[in-house]
Amino acid sequence: MGNRFQVKDRFADGAQYIDGQLRSGTSGQSHTVVNPATGEEVLTYELASTADVDAAVAAAKRAFPAWSAATPGERSDALHRLAAVLAEQAEDFAYAESLQCGKPIKLSTEFDVPGTIDNTAFFAGAARHLQGQAAAEYSGDHTSYVRREAIGVVGSIAPWNYPLQMAAWKILPAIAAGNTIVLKPAELTPLTSLMFAQAAKDAGLPDGVVNIVTGAGRDAGEHLVGHPDVVMTSFTGSTAVGKRVAEIATATVKRLHLELGGKAPFLVFDDADLEAAAHGAVAASLINTGQDCTAATRAYVQRPLHDAFVARVSELMETVRLGDPFDPATDLGPLVSHAQRDRVAGFVERARGYATVVTGGEIPGGELAEGAYYRPTLVSGAGQDSEVVQSEIFGPVLVVLPFDTDDEGIELANDTPYGLAASAWSRDVYRAGRATREIKAGCVWVNDHIPIISEMPHGGYKASGFGKDMSAYSFEEYTQVKHVMYDNTAVAAKDWHRTIFGDRT
């Protein structure tokens, strides 16, 4: 894939998208987007100030009355046009996503971009299905029905691991329901969020419906969450930051949606297909270089299969090809930054004191030395209460632990603060069914791990947050439910009035 556009030219006017226009931030502070595969500068831009956030919220507030008054069919048509624009620009989006994140181009091309286009098409359909309880005479004397209405300006914050998809997951259900939005992407990876907003304008969405402010979390992010004209906040990121977002949002009684950290268990029973489980574990632990909150991180393998599983996963991990993200043959790209790589390496180095690094655990040299690369890593022999088992590493690291009974395996799977995703591997439908019921996670796969689809919800239990992305469940969160009740009697003095004043006649 060639260089589809020059990033510095594309964003010469700045990295803020407010009221249909790119503009420069006014904080007086700059930030540099770095290609993590090479360490080279991609774009240096001015960060958003609180004044920029105010301008974006004001634009969204101005756009809200007309956009919320548009018919569901009109909003649906606009999103169908957006899906078409995204499809036309798919190569540019894939290029920009790999450039800023370091993810292999085959992942951007075959997962991130088509997934975003599909999600856009899904919400184009969802826009026409504002469902509520059937109108009826529930009291006998009144007709009741439910309205679903847009709630106002949404202020959302997206992470750096899937910038394009996370932008879409925030923006699409909000605007499909008739809301307007201000999105703050991560400073590290703003390119495709800005491109998404530009694509929305190309598709004919009114100015102000989608706005992007790219600034620091403690400044622009906190100001956005606490803004009095923002009525809902959706945040995806770490549990620690999510707690801070919740504090700010609840202080102003905002609707709140949190999709936080994960530490997904990969539960392999002794009747599982070993080869399928091993291949699944490698793919599920290394997707996006392990920078995925649903990635398999803790493999619990029933003792009869444990040693064979460790050997086979190790063997497969050693075949994974690290390299230039734009080489179609590359399997694993760098982490998003050198700081993130060093953080991951720190977990593994500390684990050497109490566990065995079976394979990987190295920063490669040679041609990859300038990038934020880290080899696929398998760890065994760690205790359940150890750091690598309990903490979110967010890198290409899989920890394998044995278990004996089914009860123990499920108990171990649930033994972290998180509950975002999990998988169970078994040929026994009853065994797998029990795991799906008893594992406390928002998604439990059976004999697979990672696939997501637009029609099904994504969100967690426990410290992984609450609320759903994708699906009709997500769409509902961006609407206000209103009960409308009509009197059908035309009687002035109603019977129930006597409970307040007067006597029954």
Side-chain angles (χ1 to χ4, degrees), residues 83 86 117 160 164 255 259 264-265 285 352 363 439 477 499 504:
L86 294 173
I117 295 169
W160 48 256
L164 175 59
R255 187 177 297 199
E259 198 267 88
S285 62
R352 294 183 192 277
I363 296 172
I439 292 176
E477 295 196 25
T499 62
R504 176 175 286 167

Side-chain angles (χ1 to χ4, degrees), residues 58-116:
K61 187 176 180 180
R62 286 193 301 271
F64 175 73
W67 182 245
S68 61
T71 67
E74 289 168 340
R75 291 197 295 268
S76 176
D77 289 347
L79 291 181
H80 278 300
R81 293 194 302 270
L82 176 56
V85 171
L86 294 173
E88 291 170 1
Q89 300 177 8
E91 286 192 27
D92 284 352
F93 274 98
Y95 168 78
E97 195 76 336
S98 288
L99 184 67
Q100 66 182 349
C101 299
K103 62 181 66 188
I105 193 64
K106 66 179 180 179
L107 183 65
S108 295
T109 301
E110 298 178 30
F111 182 73
D112 297 74
V113 174
T116 300

